[in-house]
Amino acid sequence: MWNYNEYKDVIEDGDVVLIWVSRDNVKPIKISSGGVFNTRYGSFKHDEMIGKEYGSQIAVRTKSSKRFGFIHVLQATPELWTQSLPHRTQIVYTPDSSYIMQRLKCGPLSRVIEAGTGSGSFSHAFARSAGRVFSYEFHEVRYEQALKEFQEHGLVVGGNVTVTHRDVCQGGFEIRCGDKTSYEFGKGAEGGELVELRANCIFLDLPAPWDAIPHLGAVIARDERVGMCCFSPCIEQVDKTLEVLEKYGWGDVEMVEIQGRQYESRRQMVRRLDDALERLRDVKKRKQQGVERRKRLCEQLVSGEEIDGDVRPSTLKTGYNPFGKGSRVKEGDGKFEWKQVAKIESEIKSHTSYLTFAFKIVDKTRDEKQAHEVLEEFKD
Ligand code: SAM
Protein backbone atom coordinates (compact mmCIF):
# COMPACT_ATOMS: atom_id res chain seq x y z
CA MET A 1 0.00 0.00 0.00
CA TRP A 2 1.26 3.49 -0.82
CA ASN A 3 0.71 6.39 1.43
CA TYR A 4 1.49 9.72 -0.14
CA ASN A 5 0.68 11.82 2.85
CA GLU A 6 2.55 9.93 5.50
CA TYR A 7 5.98 8.80 4.46
CA LYS A 8 7.05 5.89 6.63
CA ASP A 9 10.48 5.08 7.90
CA VAL A 10 10.51 1.30 8.04
CA ILE A 11 9.77 -1.33 5.38
CA GLU A 12 6.93 -3.64 6.36
CA ASP A 13 5.46 -6.87 5.03
CA GLY A 14 2.85 -6.00 2.35
CA ASP A 15 4.43 -2.67 1.31
CA VAL A 16 4.76 -1.88 -2.40
CA VAL A 17 8.37 -0.74 -2.70
CA LEU A 18 10.57 0.29 -5.57
CA ILE A 19 13.87 -1.50 -5.94
CA TRP A 20 16.58 0.69 -7.40
CA VAL A 21 18.95 -1.65 -9.24
CA SER A 22 20.44 1.06 -11.45
CA ARG A 23 19.42 4.42 -12.90
CA ASP A 24 17.51 2.79 -15.74
CA ASN A 25 16.39 -0.29 -13.83
CA VAL A 26 13.86 0.42 -11.09
CA LYS A 27 11.46 -2.42 -10.26
CA PRO A 28 8.25 -2.29 -8.22
CA ILE A 29 7.66 -5.25 -5.90
CA LYS A 30 5.28 -6.13 -3.10
CA ILE A 31 7.15 -7.18 0.01
CA SER A 32 6.02 -10.57 1.28
CA SER A 33 7.75 -12.57 3.93
CA GLY A 34 9.56 -15.53 2.33
CA GLY A 35 9.71 -13.83 -1.08
CA VAL A 36 12.88 -13.36 -3.13
CA PHE A 37 13.82 -10.62 -5.61
CA ASN A 38 16.12 -11.99 -8.29
CA THR A 39 18.59 -9.89 -10.26
CA ARG A 40 21.61 -10.83 -12.34
CA TYR A 41 23.71 -9.64 -9.41
CA GLY A 42 22.11 -12.07 -6.99
CA SER A 43 18.95 -12.97 -5.06
CA PHE A 44 17.66 -10.63 -2.38
CA LYS A 45 15.36 -12.03 0.30
CA HIS A 46 12.34 -9.90 1.23
CA ASP A 47 12.93 -10.90 4.86
CA GLU A 48 16.27 -9.07 4.71
CA MET A 49 14.37 -5.91 3.72
CA ILE A 50 11.55 -6.10 6.30
CA GLY A 51 12.38 -3.94 9.31
CA LYS A 52 15.07 -1.96 7.49
CA GLU A 53 14.73 1.76 6.88
CA TYR A 54 13.48 2.97 3.49
CA GLY A 55 16.46 3.95 1.38
CA SER A 56 18.58 1.13 2.82
CA GLN A 57 21.18 -0.52 0.69
CA ILE A 58 20.94 -4.32 0.71
CA ALA A 59 23.97 -6.36 -0.34
CA VAL A 60 24.42 -10.02 -1.29
CA ARG A 61 27.48 -11.93 -2.38
CA THR A 62 27.25 -12.56 -6.12
CA LYS A 63 26.90 -16.22 -7.16
CA SER A 64 30.04 -16.42 -9.26
CA SER A 65 32.56 -14.31 -7.39
CA LYS A 66 33.40 -12.94 -4.01
CA ARG A 67 32.07 -9.53 -4.95
CA PHE A 68 28.84 -7.98 -3.70
CA GLY A 69 25.65 -7.03 -5.54
CA PHE A 70 23.67 -4.07 -4.22
CA ILE A 71 20.12 -2.76 -4.43
CA HIS A 72 18.37 0.13 -2.69
CA VAL A 73 14.83 -0.27 -1.36
CA LEU A 74 12.89 2.96 -1.89
CA GLN A 75 9.49 4.16 -0.88
CA ALA A 76 7.05 4.46 -3.79
CA THR A 77 6.51 7.93 -5.22
CA PRO A 78 4.72 8.95 -8.44
CA GLU A 79 8.10 9.90 -9.94
CA LEU A 80 9.64 6.48 -9.27
CA TRP A 81 6.44 4.74 -10.36
CA THR A 82 6.63 6.61 -13.69
CA GLN A 83 10.18 5.29 -14.09
CA SER A 84 9.24 1.70 -13.32
CA LEU A 85 5.62 1.07 -14.33
CA PRO A 86 4.63 -1.54 -16.90
CA HIS A 87 3.97 0.40 -20.12
CA ARG A 88 0.66 -0.30 -21.80
CA THR A 89 0.68 2.99 -23.69
CA GLN A 90 2.87 6.03 -24.18
CA ILE A 91 3.07 7.76 -20.83
CA VAL A 92 3.46 11.26 -19.46
CA TYR A 93 6.87 11.71 -17.82
CA THR A 94 7.63 13.80 -14.75
CA PRO A 95 9.05 16.87 -16.56
CA ASP A 96 5.72 17.24 -18.37
CA SER A 97 3.39 16.23 -15.54
CA SER A 98 5.04 18.55 -13.00
CA TYR A 99 4.93 21.48 -15.43
CA ILE A 100 1.28 20.81 -16.32
CA MET A 101 0.25 20.55 -12.68
CA GLN A 102 1.86 23.83 -11.74
CA ARG A 103 0.32 25.61 -14.78
CA LEU A 104 -3.13 24.26 -13.80
CA LYS A 105 -2.45 25.19 -10.16
CA CYS A 106 -3.24 21.64 -9.15
CA GLY A 107 -3.54 21.35 -5.36
CA PRO A 108 -5.70 19.88 -2.61
CA LEU A 109 -8.75 21.85 -3.82
CA SER A 110 -8.42 20.57 -7.37
CA ARG A 111 -10.98 18.22 -8.84
CA VAL A 112 -9.26 16.64 -11.81
CA ILE A 113 -10.70 15.03 -14.93
CA GLU A 114 -8.12 12.90 -16.75
CA ALA A 115 -8.73 11.07 -20.05
CA GLY A 116 -7.42 8.54 -20.96
CA THR A 117 -5.93 6.79 -18.01
CA GLY A 118 -3.49 4.82 -20.21
CA SER A 119 -0.75 3.31 -18.05
CA GLY A 120 -1.73 5.45 -15.07
CA SER A 121 1.52 7.38 -14.94
CA PHE A 122 -0.03 10.83 -14.66
CA SER A 123 -2.92 9.51 -12.50
CA HIS A 124 -0.44 8.75 -9.72
CA ALA A 125 1.02 12.27 -9.85
CA PHE A 126 -2.47 13.81 -9.82
CA ALA A 127 -3.54 11.52 -6.97
CA ARG A 128 -0.78 12.87 -4.74
CA SER A 129 -1.47 16.56 -5.36
CA ALA A 130 -5.18 16.88 -6.15
CA GLY A 131 -8.22 16.56 -3.91
CA ARG A 132 -10.12 14.31 -6.31
CA VAL A 133 -9.27 12.57 -9.59
CA PHE A 134 -11.82 11.26 -12.13
CA SER A 135 -9.95 9.22 -14.71
CA TYR A 136 -11.52 7.70 -17.87
CA GLU A 137 -10.29 4.90 -20.11
CA PHE A 138 -12.15 3.26 -23.01
CA HIS A 139 -9.85 0.27 -23.54
CA GLU A 140 -11.23 -2.50 -21.34
CA VAL A 141 -7.97 -4.30 -20.57
CA ARG A 142 -6.19 -1.01 -19.77
CA TYR A 143 -9.11 0.03 -17.58
CA GLU A 144 -9.00 -3.29 -15.65
CA GLN A 145 -5.23 -3.11 -15.29
CA ALA A 146 -5.26 0.50 -14.12
CA LEU A 147 -8.04 -0.24 -11.64
CA LYS A 148 -6.06 -3.19 -10.24
CA GLU A 149 -2.92 -1.09 -9.81
CA PHE A 150 -4.81 1.84 -8.29
CA GLN A 151 -6.43 -0.56 -5.81
CA GLU A 152 -3.09 -2.14 -4.92
CA HIS A 153 -1.65 1.32 -4.38
CA GLY A 154 -4.53 2.42 -2.18
CA LEU A 155 -5.68 5.13 -4.59
CA VAL A 156 -9.28 3.91 -4.91
CA VAL A 157 -10.67 2.63 -1.60
CA GLY A 158 -9.65 5.19 0.99
CA GLY A 159 -7.98 7.16 -1.80
CA ASN A 160 -9.11 9.91 -4.13
CA VAL A 161 -9.20 8.29 -7.58
CA THR A 162 -12.23 7.06 -9.55
CA VAL A 163 -11.65 5.16 -12.80
CA THR A 164 -14.45 4.97 -15.32
CA HIS A 165 -14.55 2.64 -18.31
CA ARG A 166 -15.87 5.00 -20.97
CA ASP A 167 -15.32 6.46 -24.41
CA VAL A 168 -15.44 10.12 -23.42
CA CYS A 169 -15.71 11.30 -27.02
CA GLN A 170 -18.99 9.42 -27.37
CA GLY A 171 -20.35 9.28 -23.84
CA GLY A 172 -18.91 12.40 -22.20
CA PHE A 173 -17.82 12.64 -18.59
CA GLU A 174 -21.01 12.57 -16.53
CA ILE A 175 -21.21 9.82 -13.93
CA ARG A 176 -24.48 8.61 -12.50
CA CYS A 177 -24.72 6.67 -9.24
CA GLY A 178 -25.19 3.01 -10.16
CA ASP A 179 -23.11 3.39 -13.33
CA LYS A 180 -21.49 -0.03 -13.61
CA THR A 181 -18.73 1.35 -15.83
CA SER A 182 -17.52 3.54 -12.99
CA TYR A 183 -15.87 1.45 -10.34
CA GLU A 184 -16.59 3.56 -7.32
CA PHE A 185 -20.11 4.69 -8.13
CA GLY A 186 -21.31 1.45 -9.69
CA LYS A 187 -22.46 -0.17 -6.47
CA GLY A 188 -26.07 1.08 -6.10
CA ALA A 189 -29.06 0.68 -8.42
CA GLU A 190 -28.65 1.89 -11.96
CA GLY A 191 -29.90 5.34 -13.04
CA GLY A 192 -29.19 7.07 -9.72
CA GLU A 193 -28.35 10.74 -9.21
CA LEU A 194 -25.69 12.52 -11.17
CA VAL A 195 -22.41 12.75 -9.29
CA GLU A 196 -21.32 16.37 -8.97
CA LEU A 197 -17.90 16.40 -10.54
CA ARG A 198 -17.34 20.20 -10.49
CA ALA A 199 -13.99 19.63 -12.17
CA ASN A 200 -11.62 22.60 -12.20
CA CYS A 201 -8.56 20.90 -13.67
CA ILE A 202 -8.78 18.97 -16.95
CA PHE A 203 -6.11 16.89 -18.64
CA LEU A 204 -6.82 15.31 -22.03
CA ASP A 205 -4.29 12.83 -23.41
CA LEU A 206 -6.46 11.57 -26.26
CA PRO A 207 -6.00 11.24 -30.01
CA ALA A 208 -9.09 13.39 -30.65
CA PRO A 209 -9.52 15.86 -27.76
CA TRP A 210 -11.75 18.04 -29.99
CA ASP A 211 -14.46 15.35 -29.71
CA ALA A 212 -14.26 15.32 -25.91
CA ILE A 213 -14.12 19.09 -25.26
CA PRO A 214 -17.82 19.73 -26.13
CA HIS A 215 -18.82 17.30 -23.31
CA LEU A 216 -16.89 19.19 -20.63
CA GLY A 217 -19.51 21.92 -20.19
CA ALA A 218 -21.72 19.52 -18.20
CA VAL A 219 -19.09 18.60 -15.61
CA ILE A 220 -16.82 21.59 -14.98
CA ALA A 221 -17.09 23.97 -12.02
CA ARG A 222 -19.23 26.99 -12.88
CA ASP A 223 -18.09 29.51 -10.31
CA GLU A 224 -14.32 29.32 -10.58
CA ARG A 225 -11.57 29.42 -13.17
CA VAL A 226 -11.19 26.02 -14.81
CA GLY A 227 -7.87 25.10 -16.39
CA MET A 228 -7.32 22.52 -19.11
CA CYS A 229 -4.32 20.98 -20.82
CA CYS A 230 -4.39 18.89 -24.00
CA PHE A 231 -1.36 16.68 -24.61
CA SER A 232 -0.99 16.15 -28.37
CA PRO A 233 2.03 14.89 -30.29
CA CYS A 234 1.17 16.54 -33.63
CA ILE A 235 0.74 20.19 -34.49
CA GLU A 236 -2.29 19.26 -36.67
CA GLN A 237 -4.01 17.97 -33.51
CA VAL A 238 -3.23 21.25 -31.77
CA ASP A 239 -4.74 23.16 -34.67
CA LYS A 240 -7.96 21.19 -34.57
CA THR A 241 -8.15 21.50 -30.78
CA LEU A 242 -7.76 25.30 -30.94
CA GLU A 243 -10.80 25.63 -33.19
CA VAL A 244 -12.99 23.70 -30.77
CA LEU A 245 -11.60 25.50 -27.70
CA GLU A 246 -12.57 28.80 -29.23
CA LYS A 247 -16.02 27.56 -30.22
CA TYR A 248 -16.74 26.39 -26.66
CA GLY A 249 -15.59 29.57 -24.96
CA TRP A 250 -12.15 28.59 -23.65
CA GLY A 251 -9.69 31.47 -23.48
CA ASP A 252 -6.12 32.43 -22.44
CA VAL A 253 -4.95 29.75 -24.84
CA GLU A 254 -1.24 29.02 -24.94
CA MET A 255 0.72 26.17 -26.47
CA VAL A 256 4.11 25.15 -25.07
CA GLU A 257 6.57 22.33 -25.52
CA ILE A 258 8.91 20.93 -22.89
CA GLN A 259 12.50 20.36 -23.98
CA GLY A 260 14.03 18.26 -21.23
CA ARG A 261 17.77 17.74 -21.30
CA GLN A 262 20.08 16.12 -18.83
CA TYR A 263 23.56 17.51 -18.35
CA GLU A 264 26.42 15.39 -17.09
CA SER A 265 29.49 16.75 -15.35
CA ARG A 266 32.55 15.25 -17.05
CA ARG A 267 36.32 15.79 -17.30
CA GLN A 268 37.86 16.44 -20.67
CA MET A 269 41.57 16.11 -21.39
CA VAL A 270 43.28 19.41 -22.09
CA ARG A 271 44.85 19.15 -25.56
CA ARG A 272 47.33 21.70 -26.82
CA LEU A 273 48.75 22.41 -30.27
CA ASP A 274 52.19 21.24 -29.08
CA ASP A 275 50.64 17.89 -28.16
CA ALA A 276 49.21 17.58 -31.67
CA LEU A 277 52.59 18.34 -33.20
CA GLU A 278 54.35 15.86 -30.93
CA ARG A 279 51.78 13.22 -31.87
CA LEU A 280 52.25 13.88 -35.60
CA ARG A 281 56.04 13.61 -35.24
CA ASP A 282 55.59 10.35 -33.37
CA VAL A 283 53.29 8.92 -36.09
CA LYS A 284 55.79 9.95 -38.78
CA LYS A 285 58.70 8.37 -36.89
CA ARG A 286 56.81 5.09 -36.42
CA LYS A 287 55.85 5.06 -40.11
CA GLN A 288 59.47 5.53 -41.12
CA GLN A 289 60.58 2.72 -38.78
CA GLY A 290 57.95 0.44 -40.34
CA VAL A 291 59.07 1.21 -43.90
CA GLU A 292 62.71 0.52 -43.01
CA ARG A 293 61.81 -2.73 -41.25
CA ARG A 294 59.79 -3.98 -44.25
CA LYS A 295 62.60 -3.03 -46.64
CA ARG A 296 65.16 -4.93 -44.55
CA LEU A 297 62.85 -7.97 -44.41
CA CYS A 298 62.45 -8.02 -48.23
CA GLU A 299 66.22 -7.78 -48.70
CA GLN A 300 66.79 -10.69 -46.30
CA LEU A 301 64.18 -12.80 -48.12
CA VAL A 302 65.70 -12.08 -51.56
CA SER A 303 69.31 -12.73 -50.44
CA GLY A 304 68.38 -15.88 -48.50
CA GLU A 305 69.90 -14.33 -45.40
CA GLU A 306 68.68 -15.49 -42.08
CA ILE A 307 65.65 -13.42 -41.13
CA ASP A 308 65.85 -11.42 -37.91
CA GLY A 309 64.20 -13.32 -35.10
CA ASP A 310 62.36 -10.22 -34.14
CA VAL A 311 60.44 -9.62 -37.35
CA ARG A 312 58.10 -7.16 -35.79
CA PRO A 313 60.10 -5.30 -33.16
CA SER A 314 57.96 -4.28 -30.26
CA THR A 315 57.22 -0.66 -30.84
CA LEU A 316 57.74 1.45 -27.82
CA LYS A 317 54.40 2.48 -26.42
CA THR A 318 54.01 6.19 -26.89
CA GLY A 319 54.45 7.70 -23.51
CA TYR A 320 51.96 10.39 -24.19
CA ASN A 321 48.91 10.14 -26.43
CA PRO A 322 46.65 13.12 -25.97
CA PHE A 323 44.13 11.86 -28.53
CA GLY A 324 43.25 8.65 -26.80
CA LYS A 325 44.26 6.36 -29.69
CA GLY A 326 46.31 3.30 -28.94
CA SER A 327 46.57 3.38 -25.20
CA ARG A 328 43.32 4.03 -23.37
CA VAL A 329 43.47 6.86 -20.92
CA LYS A 330 41.11 6.68 -17.96
CA GLU A 331 39.04 9.83 -17.41
CA GLY A 332 40.67 11.85 -14.63
CA ASP A 333 44.06 10.02 -14.88
CA GLY A 334 46.39 12.09 -12.68
CA LYS A 335 49.18 11.97 -15.29
CA PHE A 336 47.20 14.28 -17.60
CA GLU A 337 45.61 17.66 -17.35
CA TRP A 338 41.80 17.81 -17.30
CA LYS A 339 39.12 20.45 -17.40
CA GLN A 340 35.60 20.16 -16.05
CA VAL A 341 32.88 20.23 -18.74
CA ALA A 342 29.09 19.86 -18.88
CA LYS A 343 28.05 17.23 -21.43
CA ILE A 344 24.55 16.88 -22.75
CA GLU A 345 23.16 13.34 -22.86
CA SER A 346 23.61 11.82 -26.32
CA GLU A 347 19.98 10.69 -26.68
CA ILE A 348 17.81 13.63 -25.81
CA LYS A 349 14.25 12.90 -24.76
CA SER A 350 13.11 16.26 -26.04
CA HIS A 351 9.74 16.72 -27.70
CA THR A 352 7.14 14.44 -26.19
CA SER A 353 3.99 16.39 -27.05
CA TYR A 354 2.60 19.88 -27.47
CA LEU A 355 0.86 21.13 -24.37
CA THR A 356 -2.14 23.32 -25.13
CA PHE A 357 -3.43 25.21 -22.13
CA ALA A 358 -6.80 26.94 -21.99
CA PHE A 359 -8.96 28.43 -19.25
CA LYS A 360 -12.63 29.13 -18.75
CA ILE A 361 -14.92 30.79 -16.23
CA VAL A 362 -18.51 29.72 -16.85
CA ASP A 363 -20.37 32.05 -14.53
CA LYS A 364 -18.93 35.50 -15.06
CA THR A 365 -21.61 37.38 -13.11
CA ARG A 366 -20.22 38.88 -9.98
CA ASP A 367 -21.58 40.11 -6.73
CA GLU A 368 -21.21 43.86 -7.35
CA LYS A 369 -21.45 44.71 -3.67
CA GLN A 370 -18.68 42.28 -2.74
CA ALA A 371 -16.52 43.41 -5.67
CA HIS A 372 -16.94 47.05 -4.58
CA GLU A 373 -15.88 46.20 -1.03
CA VAL A 374 -12.77 44.39 -2.26
CA LEU A 375 -11.83 47.28 -4.54
CA GLU A 376 -12.32 49.76 -1.68
CA GLU A 377 -9.90 47.71 0.43
CA PHE A 378 -7.19 48.09 -2.20
CA LYS A 379 -7.71 51.84 -2.67
CA ASP A 380 -5.27 52.93 0.08
N1 SAM B 1 -1.60 9.89 -19.72
C1 SAM B 1 -1.46 8.46 -19.66
C2 SAM B 1 -0.28 8.09 -18.79
O1 SAM B 1 0.46 9.02 -18.36
O2 SAM B 1 -0.07 6.91 -18.51
C3 SAM B 1 -1.30 7.86 -21.02
C4 SAM B 1 -2.53 8.02 -21.88
S1 SAM B 1 -2.43 7.09 -23.38
C5 SAM B 1 -1.37 8.00 -24.34
C6 SAM B 1 -3.99 7.47 -24.09
C7 SAM B 1 -5.09 6.57 -23.56
O3 SAM B 1 -6.33 7.15 -23.92
C8 SAM B 1 -5.07 5.18 -24.13
O4 SAM B 1 -5.00 4.24 -23.10
C9 SAM B 1 -6.38 5.06 -24.88
O5 SAM B 1 -6.96 3.78 -24.76
C10 SAM B 1 -7.23 6.12 -24.19
N2 SAM B 1 -8.27 6.70 -25.02
C11 SAM B 1 -8.19 7.07 -26.31
N3 SAM B 1 -9.36 7.59 -26.73
C12 SAM B 1 -10.20 7.54 -25.67
C13 SAM B 1 -11.55 7.92 -25.48
N4 SAM B 1 -12.26 8.45 -26.47
N5 SAM B 1 -12.11 7.76 -24.25
C14 SAM B 1 -11.37 7.21 -23.24
N6 SAM B 1 -10.10 6.82 -23.38
C15 SAM B 1 -9.51 6.98 -24.57
Side-chain angles (χ1 to χ4, degrees):
M1 191 75 86
W2 295 25
N3 192 339
Y4 291 128
N5 304 320
E6 273 175 52
Y7 283 96
K8 39 194 296 203
D9 293 328
V10 176
I11 303 159
E12 287 176 299
D13 197 3
D15 284 359
V16 173
V17 303
L18 290 162
I19 305 285
W20 183 282
V21 183
S22 64
R23 207 171 68 150
D24 50 8
N25 187 3
V26 183
K27 289 266 183 291
I29 61 162
K30 188 168 183 177
I31 297 289
S32 65
S33 184
V36 177
F37 175 68
N38 290 309
T39 71
R40 63 192 173 109
Y41 308 108
S43 302
F44 297 83
K45 290 184 183 145
H46 291 197
D47 289 332
E48 302 272 305
M49 303 174 200
I50 295 170
K52 294 249 167 54
E53 282 194 4
Y54 271 104
S56 295
Q57 187 188 60
I58 314 276
V60 288
R61 226 177 250 285
T62 53
K63 288 166 201 156
S64 50
S65 71
K66 291 194 182 98
R67 296 168 72 179
F68 283 95
F70 297 101
I71 53 165
H72 285 88
V73 188
L74 306 179
Q75 194 159 155
T77 63
E79 291 75 22
L80 288 173
W81 179 247
T82 291
Q83 258 180 277
S84 60
L85 58 79
H87 282 224
R88 302 179 283 273
T89 59
Q90 297 262 34
I91 65 164
V92 178
Y93 289 92
T94 302
D96 288 299
S97 62
S98 54
Y99 179 78
I100 294 165
M101 282 196 291
Q102 68 87 15
R103 282 290 304 259
L104 298 179
K105 296 195 168 54
C106 183
L109 296 179
S110 300
R111 298 174 63 83
V112 176
I113 279 184
E114 180 201 33
T117 314
S119 306
S121 166
F122 206 163
S123 320
H124 281 76
F126 273 135
R128 181 179 55 188
S129 303
R132 203 74 180 75
V133 183
F134 300 96
S135 192
Y136 299 78
E137 173 58 57
F138 77 170
H139 188 284
E140 193 171 357
V141 178
R142 282 182 210 144
Y143 159 76
E144 298 285 354
Q145 198 61 38
L147 178 59
K148 185 168 166 275
E149 278 169 7
F150 294 171
Q151 282 172 325
E152 279 171 7
H153 299 169
L155 304 186
V156 180
V157 180
N160 56 355
V161 180
T162 299
V163 212
T164 301
H165 179 217
R166 169 94 56 89
D167 179 343
V168 293
C169 296
Q170 296 287 323
F173 300 89
E174 281 183 326
I175 301 175
R176 228 169 242 291
C177 290
D179 184 341
K180 304 295 174 219
T181 69
S182 187
Y183 175 74
E184 187 189 339
F185 300 103
K187 284 163 206 147
E190 260 180 64
E193 285 198 355
L194 271 178
V195 177
E196 261 196 73
L197 300 194
R198 284 184 290 108
N200 51 13
C201 183
I202 319 287
F203 177 67
L204 301 181
D205 185 357
L206 301 167
W210 49 87
D211 287 332
I213 290 166
H215 298 289
L216 284 170
V219 288
I220 57 173
R222 310 193 70 74
D223 52 357
E224 56 182 308
R225 192 171 189 250
V226 179
M228 124 140 69
C229 173
C230 297
F231 190 82
S232 310
C234 316
I235 200 76
E236 290 78 8
Q237 286 172 306
V238 175
D239 231 18
K240 252 180 126 169
T241 305
L242 293 181
E243 276 176 31
V244 178
L245 285 174
E246 201 181 348
K247 186 170 166 200
Y248 285 86
W250 292 82
D252 294 338
V253 178
E254 204 180 340
M255 194 274 283
V256 296
E257 184 190 2
I258 306 287
Q259 292 273 355
R261 274 151 204 238
Q262 198 156 315
Y263 287 85
E264 267 192 290
S265 169
R266 298 280 297 270
R267 273 170 293 193
Q268 198 173 61
M269 194 187 277
V270 178
R271 292 157 177 175
R272 300 202 168 77
L273 186 60
D274 282 351
D275 298 331
L277 293 174
E278 192 186 326
R279 170 85 184 136
L280 285 174
R281 273 187 225 112
D282 182 59
V283 169
K284 196 173 165 193
K285 194 172 104 196
R286 272 131 96 43
K287 204 169 156 188
Q288 188 58 37
Q289 283 172 348
V291 170
E292 283 166 13
R293 184 163 42 82
R294 264 198 303 279
K295 202 170 146 200
R296 204 169 54 248
L297 187 64
C298 284
E299 283 167 4
Q300 284 170 336
L301 277 171
V302 171
S303 64
E305 249 181 74
E306 195 181 331
I307 293 171
D308 289 346
D310 194 3
V311 174
R312 181 179 274 273
S314 59
T315 47
L316 278 175
K317 261 199 164 178
T318 43
Y320 183 67
N321 178 359
F323 299 100
K325 281 188 181 159
S327 56
R328 274 181 70 177
V329 180
K330 205 169 161 216
E331 189 176 320
D333 186 331
K335 290 203 269 318
F336 303 100
E337 198 184 333
W338 301 85
K339 64 179 172 192
Q340 200 75 27
V341 292
K343 262 198 140 181
I344 206 160
E345 61 188 333
S346 51
E347 257 188 52
I348 301 165
K349 278 196 200 117
S350 57
H351 169 72
T352 51
S353 273
Y354 296 110
L355 312 180
T356 308
F357 290 94
F359 297 86
K360 185 172 183 175
I361 304 173
V362 178
D363 188 355
K364 291 199 179 109
T365 56
R366 61 179 188 176
D367 181 335
E368 286 304 330
K369 190 167 163 256
Q370 193 189 7
H372 182 73
E373 280 167 10
V374 172
L375 287 173
E376 282 298 305
E377 254 180 58
F378 282 98
K379 252 187 180 170
D380 306 325

